[in-house]
Amino acid sequence: MKYVTEFRDKEVAEGVILEINKVVAEIKKNPRIKLPIRLMEICGGQTHSILQYGIHSALPKEVEFVHGPGCPVCVTPIETINLALELAKQPNVIFTSFGDMLRVPGSDENMFEAKAKGADIRWVYAPSEAVEIAKQNPDKEVVFFAIGFETTTWPITEALCIAERDSVKNFSILPTMVRVPPALEVILSDPECIIDGILAAGHVCTIMGTEEYEPLVEKYNVPIVVTGFQPIDILTGVLLALLQIEEGRSDVENAYGWVANSAGSTVAKSLINKFFKIVDRKWRGIGLIPNSGFGLRDEYLKYDAEIKWKNIHARKEPEPNKYCGLVLTGKIKPTECPFYKKECSQEHPIGALMVSSEGACAAYFLYNKDTGESK
Ligand code: SF4
């Protein structure tokens, strides 16, 4: 097991940057390769590391990061936020959520504001905490706002296991979990796609395995390097992606091998498969993506808050602007949104990307205050 400081070592980082510069020098001699090289990091955690540690500034100007859709708070559409708020305001309901979600604006208010008006909304760090709250409050209905990618879907199964084992009948989830590969397919199949390589999220692959990305590499001929979140992880991912581009290869490579492997976690995957089936899911700024979400299997619908409160419907409204979707799909940088740092700030967010701890706009706002630029 490695310690985190080893992945932030300045000398090691400088060595990898030197190698990156050598590969870029070779790439520049090759007229077949168009510059700049654009690498999309999928996960918002990677985006924050890139901005926080200035990795974008340390790379040669021929290499550019494009920020991907890997922030579960950011991709949850406004109608789902509205539905969550409606559920939270039902009498006798304790609504639980990860903290990031509480500041995301719905059409009229966010959850902090609803809480201030009397809704019983509680911040939890793990889904299993919501089950404990349900056990302690048997006369209440406890709902957990189940957002997340594959990585978080697995601890949600832990909460369901506890609820099933202990016959907790007053616990349910609002399932909004999403899957990375179908969203990547949407981005890669776009005729205007400008991405030359992908840094996939290591923690997702720890659960699902790297093999999920093989069909995408074959179909779209784009290198995918599974990458971690610390500076050395990300720089290594960049180096491996650039080497593939220089050599004209497109493979799935694993730069996070100390945690992720090809098959993923069989235990986690079997629990996900026990409780959930693959369903279509709507993404903020992208729309409905086939097979891009997890929904409860028929035998577990008793834990589905949408079934328990089937008369409550999401207030359907168009997204407040197109720019959040353009940032989520890597088509623009946060600084290219006309609302960035004007109408949209951390104090007064318009979109989830500005308040989520993994949001790209939040990363720019927090770490790039002075220049407002990505380079
Ligand atoms: S600055 Fe605000 S409105 Fe613009 S893309 Fe970011 S979150 Fe959305």
Side-chain angles (χ1 to χ4, degrees):
M1 186 66 184
K2 301 286 183 188
Y3 297 99
V4 77
T5 47
E6 294 170 272
F7 292 88
R8 296 176 184 167
D9 186 282
K10 187 167 176 277
E11 275 182 33
V12 177
E14 285 170 351
V16 184
I17 291 167
L18 198 64
E19 292 303 311
I20 287 172
N21 276 291
K22 285 184 197 166
V23 179
V24 170
E26 291 304 311
I27 285 175
K28 282 165 73 177
K29 294 178 196 164
N30 188 338
R32 176 183 59 80
I33 303 174
K34 275 206 294 186
L35 298 174
I37 307 275
R38 294 190 174 103
L39 302 177
M40 173 178 269
E41 84 280 358
I42 295 300
C43 177
Q46 293 168 325
T47 307
H48 275 250
S49 265
I50 287 165
L51 272 293
Q52 181 178 3
Y53 294 104
I55 299 169
H56 57 304
S57 308
L59 295 183
K61 67 178 188 320
E62 292 82 6
V63 182
E64 191 183 316
F65 285 112
V66 176
H67 314 310
C71 161
V73 172
C74 304
V75 301
T76 303
I78 194 161
E79 65 190 56
T80 307
I81 311 280
N82 288 342
L83 177 60
L85 282 158
E86 283 305 312
L87 288 172
K89 288 188 271 188
Q90 294 308 303
N92 224 35
V93 163
I94 300 173
F95 194 86
T96 59
S97 170
F98 293 129
D100 276 21
M101 215 52 181
L102 302 183
R103 290 186 61 214
V104 176
S107 293
D108 296 326
E109 59 189 349
N110 65 30
M111 285 197 212
F112 271 129
E113 289 159 343
K115 184 175 171 65
K117 290 178 196 163
D120 192 345
I121 298 172
R122 302 187 191 181
W123 174 338
V124 294
Y125 290 95
S128 55
E129 280 181 54
V131 187
E132 290 308 313
I133 293 170
K135 286 188 197 174
Q136 291 157 13
N137 296 273
D139 54 335
K140 301 267 188 181
E141 284 288 340
V142 176
V143 182
F144 175 67
F145 198 171
I147 65 153
F149 279 89
E150 294 91 330
T151 326
T152 315
T153 302
W154 132 251
I156 292 167
T157 67
E158 184 201 7
L160 291 167
C161 281
I162 297 169
E164 187 179 41
R165 182 196 67 193
D166 298 345
S167 302
V168 183
K169 295 190 170 55
N170 61 329
F171 170 75
S172 57
I173 64 172
L174 176 57
T176 57
M177 302 84 71
V178 287
R179 302 175 60 231
V180 172
L184 264 186
E185 174 117 41
V186 169
I187 290 169
L188 292 172
S189 63
D190 186 333
E192 293 174 13
C193 176
I194 51 160
I195 296 158
D196 302 298
I198 286 169
L199 306 183
H203 53 4
V204 169
C205 294
T206 303
I207 301 296
M208 304 306 289
T210 62
E211 63 192 9
E212 278 206 329
Y213 297 95
E214 300 284 355
L216 288 172
V217 161
E218 278 168 34
K219 189 168 175 185
Y220 296 101
N221 219 13
V222 62
I224 297 183
V225 181
V226 177
T227 309
F229 305 88
Q230 296 300 319
I232 309 289
D233 287 319
I234 292 169
L235 287 168
T236 306
V238 169
L239 176 61
L240 293 179
L242 291 173
L243 278 168
Q244 286 200 43
I245 291 165
E246 188 216 344
E247 294 164 12
R249 287 187 294 120
S250 297
D251 297 315
V252 176
E253 274 187 281
N254 187 1
Y256 202 52
W258 54 287
V259 183
N261 60 35
S262 172
S265 164
T266 47
V267 173
K269 286 203 297 191
S270 70
L271 277 171
I272 289 172
N273 193 40
K274 168 181 155 85
F275 287 105
F276 299 118
K277 59 184 177 185
I278 290 174
V279 297
D280 300 344
R281 182 80 73 214
K282 192 171 175 189
W283 293 52
R284 183 187 289 259
I286 301 176
L288 191 74
I289 305 181
N291 302 319
S292 69
F294 292 110
L296 283 157
R297 290 191 179 279
D298 290 352
E299 54 271 43
Y300 293 106
L301 288 178
K302 61 188 174 190
Y303 296 117
D304 192 325
E306 276 193 274
I307 302 287
K308 271 192 181 179
W309 285 273
K310 52 180 174 291
N311 294 327
I312 295 176
H313 300 289
R315 185 169 139 196
K316 289 194 170 61
E317 285 190 25
E319 296 298 334
N321 70 79
K322 65 178 182 183
Y323 298 102
C324 296
L326 293 175
V327 172
L328 280 171
T329 49
K331 290 184 173 160
I332 64 168
K333 295 265 166 49
T335 45
E336 294 171 76
C337 169
F339 304 124
Y340 176 77
K341 279 191 174 177
K342 296 186 182 99
E343 291 88 344
C344 187
S345 65
Q346 293 232 303
E347 292 74 30
H348 301 286
I350 292 178
L353 290 73
M354 185 54 92
V355 280
S356 168
S357 64
E358 295 190 350
C361 301
Y364 275 66
F365 198 90
L366 288 171
Y367 305 120
N368 225 17
K369 281 184 174 157
D370 295 330
T371 64
E373 299 297 330
S374 66
K375 279 259 178 202

